Amino acid sequence: MTHDAKAALDRLMRFLLIEGVTGQEAAIGADVARALVEAGVAADVIGFDDANTRIPVPTETGNLIVRLPGRGALSNSPPLMFMTHLDTVPLCAGAKPRIDGERIVSGGDTALGGDNRTGCAVLVTLAAELARQDLDHPPLVLVFCVREESGLWGARYIDLERVGPVAMGFNFDSSKPSDIVTGAVGADSWEVEISGRASHAGVAPERGISATMIAALALAEAQAGGWFGKVVKGGKAGTSNVGTVAGRGGRAAGDATNVVTDYAFVEGESRSHDMAFVDEITNAYEAAFRNAVKSLPNSEGKTGSITFTRHRKYHAFALDPSLPVVAHGAAAVSSLGLTPNPRLANGGLDANWLTLHGIPTVTFGAGQNEPHTVDEWIDIPAFQDACRLAIALATLR
């Protein structure tokens, strides 16, 4: 597969310069649409769905969906979907990308945004090269999702009617193009509101019930029981994290050192490739908080209370290696002289939801490295390989 490598790199640098943190994808979505038109895609096949009206958190725009008609000998083949996501994590705001040898690095104290502007550039390059080289290909649907970084919301609420029927999907959102991600973890998010009892910490601390101490005891129990961080129990494996410890309205837990804290809020997550084990991890945290409440009565025998809430963020999936989507992906990787490496991911992907929607989807890398950190960088040769891989996936007979 050949392509205009300079044009591809120019697109990537262009997209990296446009801010578009999760939930605020209007500007990058509009520029990707412009770039597609510049690449020869007809404006009337480019549009946005209304997922943002159904996503339960503020979101500027819907998913960008592009429907390319088939061409030539492959025009009547089953349609294929290519996807990526538009948003970046907030740490990428204000990124100043620069090329350093065979890498793109951040020129400031921010992350770079290679996750996932690399995917955006790959899909636009695919459309550009299909037009420039007049290549035969099946009908294609290009999907650029919103709010991937904050919970896979765009993929969850995508307008499947606008996508239309497709045989299989290829997602670009990782590091190495030779990696074929055939499955990923599922996850719960959970939160707990802890209600204690305020009292004067100097005059009558024994009458108070500290919400902060209940949180501390609960988290200590979870840690001691092996439920925090990497979790391995009886052959099952997963992870958990405590992400936020706060007070009302996002303020600090507690208002003053001389008042026993009467309210605290804690939120975290549980992950595993086994959804039953996701439930076990979350159950362990809930039990720890309930035990902590009982263990901390005040001098009058009163105890605090908790409200524990869990949400299923996304479901785990694992594609059968014999499925056509896996075989097609492996054949395309091999056609570039690379060695296919099927594997599972420990992070959630838009492919989690597309597979649940009935579109078996595998994920490939496009040169991302150390995402979500100020040390993030993009491997330019890997990015160029991803562009060639997309063309191979779209044109392989």
Side-chain angles (χ1 to χ4, degrees):
M1 294 295 108
T2 61
H3 72 294
D4 186 337
K6 181 181 183 304
L9 183 58
D10 288 345
R11 286 186 196 97
L12 176 54
M13 293 298 289
R14 166 181 171 173
F15 295 156
L16 287 169
L17 283 166
I18 299 173
E19 193 165 303
V21 302
T22 189
Q24 300 173 27
E25 298 94 340
I28 183 61
D31 196 60
V32 168
R34 280 192 294 270
L36 286 163
V37 172
E38 293 165 10
V41 177
D44 61 359
V45 303
I46 302 171
F48 293 85
D49 72 6
D50 63 350
N52 57 310
T53 67
R54 289 173 279 118
I55 294 171
V57 284
T59 309
E60 286 182 344
T61 187
N63 302 303
L64 174 60
I65 301 175
V66 184
R67 295 178 60 88
L68 301 177
R71 179 187 292 125
L74 296 175
S75 60
N76 293 321
S77 299
L80 304 178
M81 181 190 70
F82 288 77
M83 69 180 303
T84 190
H85 64 86
L86 291 167
D87 59 318
T88 68
V89 294
L91 188 61
C92 297
K96 298 178 176 62
R98 62 181 177 85
I99 296 175
D100 182 9
E102 293 193 326
R103 295 184 174 194
I104 303 173
V105 299
S106 176
D109 56 358
T110 71
L112 180 61
D115 178 11
N116 198 8
R117 300 303 162 74
T118 54
C120 295
V122 166
L123 265 59
V124 176
T125 296
L126 168 62
E129 292 299 325
L130 293 176
R132 185 178 73 87
Q133 299 186 46
D134 196 27
L135 297 172
D136 291 354
H137 63 84
L140 302 179
V141 182
L142 311 183
V143 176
F144 302 79
C145 284
V146 296
R147 270 205 181 271
E148 189 270 356
E149 297 290 5
S150 51
L152 313 183
W153 291 110
R156 182 172 186 166
Y157 287 101
I158 193 168
D159 184 345
L160 293 173
E161 289 189 8
R162 184 181 281 266
V163 172
V166 292
M168 60 186 74
F170 306 106
N171 183 37
F172 283 84
D173 187 12
S174 189
S175 179
K176 297 179 181 179
S178 57
D179 285 350
I180 306 175
V181 180
T182 59
V185 293
D188 274 353
S189 62
W190 52 262
E191 59 190 44
V192 55
E193 291 188 278
I194 307 169
S195 298
R197 185 178 189 275
S199 68
H200 194 295
V203 176
E206 71 280 1
R207 296 185 62 196
I209 302 169
S210 172
T212 307
M213 190 56 62
I214 291 172
L217 290 170
L219 297 179
E221 178 180 323
Q223 163 69 19
W227 295 105
F228 175 75
K230 186 175 182 179
V231 183
V232 179
K233 300 279 186 179
K236 299 178 181 179
T239 63
S240 78
N241 186 50
V242 178
T244 302
V245 179
R248 289 188 176 88
R251 301 193 305 270
D255 298 316
T257 59
N258 63 350
V259 180
V260 174
T261 305
D262 65 349
Y263 178 87
F265 173 83
V266 181
E267 62 180 351
E269 67 165 27
S270 312
R271 300 188 187 206
S272 177
H273 290 279
D274 179 341
M275 295 310 297
F277 196 53
V278 171
D279 290 336
E280 284 187 49
I281 296 171
T282 305
N283 289 343
Y285 275 94
E286 181 173 6
F289 279 100
R290 296 198 183 283
N291 291 339
V293 166
K294 295 175 184 176
S295 71
L296 199 68
N298 69 358
S299 59
E300 300 165 354
K302 297 177 180 178
T303 59
S305 64
I306 67 163
T307 300
F308 191 97
T309 308
R310 66 183 72 199
H311 311 275
R312 182 57 40 92
K313 291 175 70 175
Y314 44 85
H315 294 261
F317 78 102
L319 298 176
D320 189 314
S322 66
L323 285 177
V325 67
V326 180
H328 191 88
V333 170
S334 296
S335 75
L336 304 184
L338 303 175
T339 302
N341 177 37
R343 68 177 186 87
L344 301 177
N346 289 324
L349 299 163
D350 282 334
N352 287 62
W353 278 107
L354 269 298
T355 298
L356 189 66
H357 290 323
I359 304 172
T361 302
V362 297
T363 300
F364 300 95
Q368 303 171 14
N369 288 275
E370 301 186 65
H372 303 191
T373 74
V374 295
D375 297 319
E376 183 183 7
W377 59 280
I378 295 169
D379 182 330
I380 295 175
F383 164 72
Q384 300 291 10
D385 279 345
C387 292
R388 296 193 300 128
L389 175 60
I391 300 167
L393 288 164
T395 59
L396 196 66
R397 296 175 187 265

